[in-house]
Amino acid sequence: MASERLTGLRRIEPIALTRRLDSDFVLRASSGERRPGRTEFLEQWPVAVGLTVTGGGLLEIEMEIEDHPVPPSRRLTDGALCHPVTVRPGTDTDTAGSGPGMRYWMVLDTSEGTLHGFVAVPAPDATFEVDLDAPPVPLRFLDRVSREELEASLPANERVTLSQWHRLIDDLPPHHPAHAALTTVNAPQRPARAAASANAFLEIQTAARQHREIDLDHWASEEARQALTALTARRDEQNAKAEVPGRRAYRKAQANLRAGTQTYAVDGDA
């Protein structure tokens, strides 16, 4: 019922997607056997899940959920869906696992008729359980989840880029803990990423200047157009990968422009 009310998923029978992976499964995955990892599959309509313990000690969880061909309109209002994934210590018996474990939130990517998600988390050394029983919840409704839980979930969603996280989180209410989690996770890597993006844009700028000053007079129009197409593709790729500037940095740049201490031009007057 909660699944139907919150997310607009098809009404289904209660599902039970919990799998216990024993220590032998983990040890063999990291043992140097030729197989890169060990995989098990769970399937109960409309959900299919693959669980893989890699040789590097990661637990990879990939999920697909059959969805409405045309999702309800409230899905657009609710925003991105997240599926809870709990990894908890298990026992060697058939009894339930011990302790609450660690809960991660898997972002579900929406495509026609399917919801798809992937997370990679540290695999426990001994027997553990992977619990996927709960329904997806819109990210907007996770405002009572702890910041620490969201901080662990952001890097676990390896296929969600930083710019995608900003698009998902920036419009959430200011009190939402995802803002603090994104700031914490993003801070250590931000200077290095900013420097890498700046260097990439400088390379494009240098190539454009060399083409204009050296090559352009000797090119046929078709060659010039091909070079322009290549530069445009490189620029678009960097724009897609570069993280969104912070509001403070944007306001500071605007103030510098108004004060005349900073100009905005590629090469000055042509």
Side-chain angles (χ1 to χ4, degrees):
M1 183 67 180
S3 172
E4 176 71 18
R5 182 175 64 253
L6 293 178
T7 68
L9 296 174
R10 293 183 180 182
R11 188 181 300 276
I12 58 175
E13 295 300 319
I15 61 174
L17 287 175
T18 302
R19 178 59 56 91
R20 178 179 292 109
L21 303 179
D22 59 25
S23 56
D24 179 65
F25 184 93
V26 179
L27 290 173
R28 290 184 63 189
S30 59
S31 67
E33 294 182 2
R34 292 183 61 186
R35 293 180 61 184
R38 302 290 306 282
T39 301
E40 287 197 10
F41 296 96
L42 296 170
E43 188 168 1
Q44 182 176 345
W45 186 87
V47 182
V49 183
L51 306 173
T52 301
V53 176
T54 70
L58 288 177
L59 171 63
E60 297 180 346
I61 305 167
E62 190 159 8
M63 169 181 281
E64 283 194 358
I65 304 176
E66 185 177 334
D67 192 17
H68 291 280
V70 181
S73 58
R74 67 176 177 272
R75 179 79 59 78
L76 297 176
T77 304
D78 290 344
L81 292 174
C82 298
H83 197 287
V85 177
T86 303
V87 180
R88 66 170 62 92
T91 64
D92 293 326
T93 66
D94 290 335
T95 59
S98 60
M102 181 64 191
R103 184 171 61 177
Y104 303 89
W105 293 93
M106 174 193 294
V107 175
L108 298 177
D109 179 55
T110 305
S111 58
E112 186 174 350
T114 305
L115 299 171
H116 179 268
F118 175 90
V119 291
V121 303
D125 295 331
T127 302
F128 63 93
E129 290 181 356
V130 181
D131 185 348
L132 302 151
D133 286 352
V137 179
L139 176 61
R140 182 175 299 275
F141 295 165
L142 301 184
D143 53 342
R144 300 298 179 90
V145 173
S146 70
R147 187 190 72 183
E148 291 75 17
E149 199 168 291
L150 291 176
E151 285 178 9
S153 299
L154 264 63
N157 286 270
E158 291 185 344
R159 298 176 183 174
V160 181
T161 66
L162 184 61
S163 59
Q164 289 173 319
W165 277 122
H166 275 286
R167 285 196 292 271
L168 294 175
I169 292 175
D170 283 354
D171 291 334
L172 294 176
H175 67 273
H176 199 290
H179 292 290
L182 182 59
T183 299
T184 301
V185 171
N186 187 26
Q189 297 85 19
R190 188 159 192 156
R193 285 195 299 264
S197 295
N199 288 335
F201 280 112
L202 283 175
E203 290 175 3
I204 297 171
Q205 184 186 62
T206 300
R209 183 180 291 112
Q210 290 172 340
H211 289 335
R212 189 188 70 178
E213 300 294 339
I214 301 172
D215 301 321
L216 189 58
D217 291 340
H218 308 287
W219 274 342
S221 59
E222 185 61 30
E223 292 175 310
R225 184 166 295 279
Q226 290 175 359
L228 177 60
T229 300
L231 286 174
T232 302
R234 290 174 60 186
R235 182 207 60 189
D236 292 345
E237 180 183 5
Q238 290 304 318
N239 283 338
K241 290 165 46 178
E243 63 182 76
V244 179
R247 289 188 176 91
R248 182 175 180 275
Y250 177 79
R251 289 196 297 267
K252 183 177 180 181
Q254 291 293 313
N256 288 340
L257 288 172
R258 289 192 296 269
T261 58
Q262 180 176 324
T263 58
Y264 180 77
V266 176
D267 294 311
D269 295 333

mmCIF file of all heavy atoms in Angstrom, residues 12-13 21 27 44-45 55 93 102 105 110-111 129-130 141 195 209 219 221 240 264 269:
data_model
loop_
_atom_site.group_PDB
_atom_site.id
_atom_site.type_symbol
_atom_site.label_atom_id
_atom_site.label_comp_id
_atom_site.label_asym_id
_atom_site.label_seq_id
_atom_site.Cartn_x
_atom_site.Cartn_y
_atom_site.Cartn_z
ATOM 1 N N ILE A 12 1.243 -4.530 -6.078
ATOM 2 C CA ILE A 12 1.754 -5.894 -6.158
ATOM 3 C C ILE A 12 1.578 -6.566 -4.809
ATOM 4 O O ILE A 12 1.309 -5.934 -3.791
ATOM 5 C CB ILE A 12 3.248 -5.916 -6.540
ATOM 6 C CG1 ILE A 12 4.044 -5.106 -5.516
ATOM 7 C CG2 ILE A 12 3.465 -5.370 -7.927
ATOM 8 C CD1 ILE A 12 5.533 -5.170 -5.735
ATOM 9 N N GLU A 13 1.725 -7.885 -4.799
ATOM 10 C CA GLU A 13 1.725 -8.610 -3.547
ATOM 11 C C GLU A 13 2.980 -8.253 -2.766
ATOM 12 O O GLU A 13 4.000 -7.901 -3.345
ATOM 13 C CB GLU A 13 1.679 -10.116 -3.823
ATOM 14 C CG GLU A 13 0.395 -10.577 -4.497
ATOM 15 C CD GLU A 13 -0.827 -10.267 -3.655
ATOM 16 O OE1 GLU A 13 -0.751 -10.452 -2.414
ATOM 17 O OE2 GLU A 13 -1.837 -9.839 -4.225
ATOM 18 N N LEU A 21 24.218 -14.194 2.456
ATOM 19 C CA LEU A 21 25.448 -14.616 1.775
ATOM 20 C C LEU A 21 26.444 -15.033 2.845
ATOM 21 O O LEU A 21 26.783 -14.248 3.732
ATOM 22 C CB LEU A 21 26.013 -13.470 0.938
ATOM 23 C CG LEU A 21 25.054 -12.897 -0.110
ATOM 24 C CD1 LEU A 21 25.713 -11.748 -0.847
ATOM 25 C CD2 LEU A 21 24.631 -13.964 -1.086
ATOM 26 N N LEU A 27 34.697 -15.169 0.839
ATOM 27 C CA LEU A 27 36.103 -15.568 0.777
ATOM 28 C C LEU A 27 36.483 -16.059 -0.614
ATOM 29 O O LEU A 27 37.551 -15.732 -1.139
ATOM 30 C CB LEU A 27 36.377 -16.660 1.814
ATOM 31 C CG LEU A 27 36.337 -16.198 3.276
ATOM 32 C CD1 LEU A 27 36.453 -17.397 4.207
ATOM 33 C CD2 LEU A 27 37.461 -15.210 3.547
ATOM 34 N N GLN A 44 11.530 -11.666 -8.027
ATOM 35 C CA GLN A 44 10.131 -11.798 -7.639
ATOM 36 C C GLN A 44 9.385 -10.650 -8.290
ATOM 37 O O GLN A 44 9.629 -9.491 -7.960
ATOM 38 C CB GLN A 44 9.968 -11.771 -6.116
ATOM 39 C CG GLN A 44 8.519 -11.958 -5.677
ATOM 40 C CD GLN A 44 8.381 -12.020 -4.169
ATOM 41 O OE1 GLN A 44 9.362 -12.190 -3.461
ATOM 42 N NE2 GLN A 44 7.162 -11.880 -3.682
ATOM 43 N N TRP A 45 8.529 -10.963 -9.232
ATOM 44 C CA TRP A 45 7.881 -9.919 -10.013
ATOM 45 C C TRP A 45 7.314 -8.853 -9.099
ATOM 46 O O TRP A 45 6.692 -9.167 -8.090
ATOM 47 C CB TRP A 45 6.755 -10.524 -10.860
ATOM 48 C CG TRP A 45 6.150 -9.516 -11.792
ATOM 49 C CD1 TRP A 45 6.550 -9.190 -13.043
ATOM 50 C CD2 TRP A 45 5.026 -8.678 -11.492
ATOM 51 N NE1 TRP A 45 5.760 -8.196 -13.547
ATOM 52 C CE2 TRP A 45 4.817 -7.861 -12.628
ATOM 53 C CE3 TRP A 45 4.195 -8.516 -10.384
ATOM 54 C CZ2 TRP A 45 3.790 -6.915 -12.683
ATOM 55 C CZ3 TRP A 45 3.184 -7.576 -10.432
ATOM 56 C CH2 TRP A 45 2.984 -6.792 -11.580
ATOM 57 N N GLY A 55 36.149 -9.317 -6.494
ATOM 58 C CA GLY A 55 37.445 -9.676 -5.948
ATOM 59 C C GLY A 55 38.053 -8.578 -5.108
ATOM 60 O O GLY A 55 38.921 -8.836 -4.266
ATOM 61 N N THR A 93 22.768 -19.677 10.712
ATOM 62 C CA THR A 93 21.522 -20.430 10.791
ATOM 63 C C THR A 93 20.469 -19.724 9.953
ATOM 64 O O THR A 93 20.732 -18.724 9.299
ATOM 65 C CB THR A 93 21.051 -20.535 12.250
ATOM 66 O OG1 THR A 93 20.716 -19.227 12.717
ATOM 67 C CG2 THR A 93 22.172 -21.109 13.127
ATOM 68 N N MET A 102 23.563 -1.588 8.032
ATOM 69 C CA MET A 102 23.772 -0.298 7.380
ATOM 70 C C MET A 102 22.790 -0.170 6.229
ATOM 71 O O MET A 102 22.711 -1.052 5.371
ATOM 72 C CB MET A 102 25.212 -0.194 6.869
ATOM 73 C CG MET A 102 25.530 1.133 6.204
ATOM 74 S SD MET A 102 25.417 2.498 7.378
ATOM 75 C CE MET A 102 25.513 3.901 6.262
ATOM 76 N N TRP A 105 20.729 4.087 0.185
ATOM 77 C CA TRP A 105 19.607 4.469 -0.676
ATOM 78 C C TRP A 105 20.062 4.452 -2.127
ATOM 79 O O TRP A 105 20.924 5.218 -2.522
ATOM 80 C CB TRP A 105 19.075 5.843 -0.270
ATOM 81 C CG TRP A 105 18.437 5.810 1.081
ATOM 82 C CD1 TRP A 105 19.024 6.083 2.279
ATOM 83 C CD2 TRP A 105 17.087 5.440 1.371
ATOM 84 N NE1 TRP A 105 18.135 5.914 3.298
ATOM 85 C CE2 TRP A 105 16.927 5.521 2.774
ATOM 86 C CE3 TRP A 105 16.003 5.047 0.586
ATOM 87 C CZ2 TRP A 105 15.717 5.228 3.409
ATOM 88 C CZ3 TRP A 105 14.799 4.762 1.220
ATOM 89 C CH2 TRP A 105 14.665 4.851 2.608
ATOM 90 N N THR A 110 14.965 6.238 -14.270
ATOM 91 C CA THR A 110 13.705 5.933 -14.940
ATOM 92 C C THR A 110 13.897 5.858 -16.442
ATOM 93 O O THR A 110 14.410 6.786 -17.060
ATOM 94 C CB THR A 110 12.658 7.014 -14.620
ATOM 95 O OG1 THR A 110 12.515 7.133 -13.211
ATOM 96 C CG2 THR A 110 11.316 6.658 -15.229
ATOM 97 N N SER A 111 13.525 4.738 -17.010
ATOM 98 C CA SER A 111 13.451 4.607 -18.466
ATOM 99 C C SER A 111 12.072 4.044 -18.792
ATOM 100 O O SER A 111 11.289 3.742 -17.894
ATOM 101 C CB SER A 111 14.560 3.691 -19.002
ATOM 102 O OG SER A 111 14.477 2.407 -18.408
ATOM 103 N N GLU A 129 23.450 -10.382 5.484
ATOM 104 C CA GLU A 129 22.188 -10.393 4.766
ATOM 105 C C GLU A 129 22.032 -9.105 3.964
ATOM 106 O O GLU A 129 22.474 -8.038 4.401
ATOM 107 C CB GLU A 129 21.006 -10.513 5.733
ATOM 108 C CG GLU A 129 20.905 -11.863 6.388
ATOM 109 C CD GLU A 129 19.700 -11.944 7.320
ATOM 110 O OE1 GLU A 129 19.003 -10.911 7.494
ATOM 111 O OE2 GLU A 129 19.467 -13.025 7.863
ATOM 112 N N VAL A 130 21.414 -9.231 2.812
ATOM 113 C CA VAL A 130 21.042 -8.080 1.993
ATOM 114 C C VAL A 130 19.526 -8.022 1.958
ATOM 115 O O VAL A 130 18.871 -8.946 1.481
ATOM 116 C CB VAL A 130 21.612 -8.199 0.564
ATOM 117 C CG1 VAL A 130 21.223 -6.977 -0.262
ATOM 118 C CG2 VAL A 130 23.122 -8.362 0.600
ATOM 119 N N PHE A 141 11.236 12.766 0.162
ATOM 120 C CA PHE A 141 10.625 12.333 1.414
ATOM 121 C C PHE A 141 11.639 11.759 2.402
ATOM 122 O O PHE A 141 11.250 11.292 3.468
ATOM 123 C CB PHE A 141 9.541 11.287 1.149
ATOM 124 C CG PHE A 141 8.363 11.803 0.363
ATOM 125 C CD1 PHE A 141 7.460 10.928 -0.208
ATOM 126 C CD2 PHE A 141 8.159 13.164 0.200
ATOM 127 C CE1 PHE A 141 6.379 11.397 -0.928
ATOM 128 C CE2 PHE A 141 7.077 13.647 -0.514
ATOM 129 C CZ PHE A 141 6.183 12.759 -1.085
ATOM 130 N N ALA A 195 40.245 21.907 -10.730
ATOM 131 C CA ALA A 195 41.494 22.101 -11.475
ATOM 132 C C ALA A 195 41.503 21.280 -12.760
ATOM 133 O O ALA A 195 41.945 21.758 -13.816
ATOM 134 C CB ALA A 195 42.687 21.729 -10.602
ATOM 135 N N ARG A 209 42.532 28.550 -30.433
ATOM 136 C CA ARG A 209 43.403 29.661 -30.830
ATOM 137 C C ARG A 209 44.406 29.220 -31.895
ATOM 138 O O ARG A 209 44.673 29.945 -32.866
ATOM 139 C CB ARG A 209 44.141 30.199 -29.595
ATOM 140 C CG ARG A 209 45.021 31.407 -29.921
ATOM 141 C CD ARG A 209 45.727 31.921 -28.688
ATOM 142 N NE ARG A 209 44.787 32.523 -27.752
ATOM 143 C CZ ARG A 209 44.477 32.007 -26.552
ATOM 144 N NH1 ARG A 209 45.034 30.863 -26.172
ATOM 145 N NH2 ARG A 209 43.628 32.621 -25.764
ATOM 146 N N TRP A 219 42.978 25.910 -44.484
ATOM 147 C CA TRP A 219 41.948 24.882 -44.521
ATOM 148 C C TRP A 219 40.892 25.210 -45.572
ATOM 149 O O TRP A 219 40.541 26.372 -45.795
ATOM 150 C CB TRP A 219 41.242 24.782 -43.178
ATOM 151 C CG TRP A 219 41.922 23.875 -42.192
ATOM 152 C CD1 TRP A 219 42.853 22.913 -42.451
ATOM 153 C CD2 TRP A 219 41.709 23.855 -40.777
ATOM 154 N NE1 TRP A 219 43.234 22.296 -41.311
ATOM 155 C CE2 TRP A 219 42.553 22.857 -40.252
ATOM 156 C CE3 TRP A 219 40.918 24.589 -39.903
ATOM 157 C CZ2 TRP A 219 42.607 22.558 -38.905
ATOM 158 C CZ3 TRP A 219 40.957 24.296 -38.560
ATOM 159 C CH2 TRP A 219 41.799 23.286 -38.072
ATOM 160 N N SER A 221 36.868 24.879 -46.431
ATOM 161 C CA SER A 221 35.731 25.109 -45.535
ATOM 162 C C SER A 221 35.278 23.827 -44.844
ATOM 163 O O SER A 221 34.898 23.840 -43.660
ATOM 164 C CB SER A 221 34.565 25.723 -46.319
ATOM 165 O OG SER A 221 34.160 24.860 -47.369
ATOM 166 N N ALA A 240 29.239 18.864 -19.683
ATOM 167 C CA ALA A 240 28.409 17.833 -19.065
ATOM 168 C C ALA A 240 29.077 17.243 -17.821
ATOM 169 O O ALA A 240 28.400 16.874 -16.860
ATOM 170 C CB ALA A 240 28.108 16.723 -20.074
ATOM 171 N N TYR A 264 35.180 39.236 -18.710
ATOM 172 C CA TYR A 264 34.688 37.984 -19.271
ATOM 173 C C TYR A 264 34.835 38.052 -20.783
ATOM 174 O O TYR A 264 34.088 38.709 -21.486
ATOM 175 C CB TYR A 264 33.211 37.752 -18.912
ATOM 176 C CG TYR A 264 32.633 36.479 -19.451
ATOM 177 C CD1 TYR A 264 32.926 35.264 -18.859
ATOM 178 C CD2 TYR A 264 31.820 36.479 -20.586
ATOM 179 C CE1 TYR A 264 32.411 34.092 -19.359
ATOM 180 C CE2 TYR A 264 31.294 35.314 -21.091
ATOM 181 C CZ TYR A 264 31.595 34.118 -20.478
ATOM 182 O OH TYR A 264 31.083 32.948 -20.978
ATOM 183 N N ASP A 269 39.158 41.595 -28.023
ATOM 184 C CA ASP A 269 38.580 42.020 -29.306
ATOM 185 C C ASP A 269 39.140 41.184 -30.437
ATOM 186 O O ASP A 269 40.339 40.925 -30.519
ATOM 187 C CB ASP A 269 38.935 43.494 -29.570
ATOM 188 C CG ASP A 269 38.282 44.401 -28.543
ATOM 189 O OD1 ASP A 269 37.232 44.010 -28.005
ATOM 190 O OD2 ASP A 269 38.848 45.493 -28.286
#
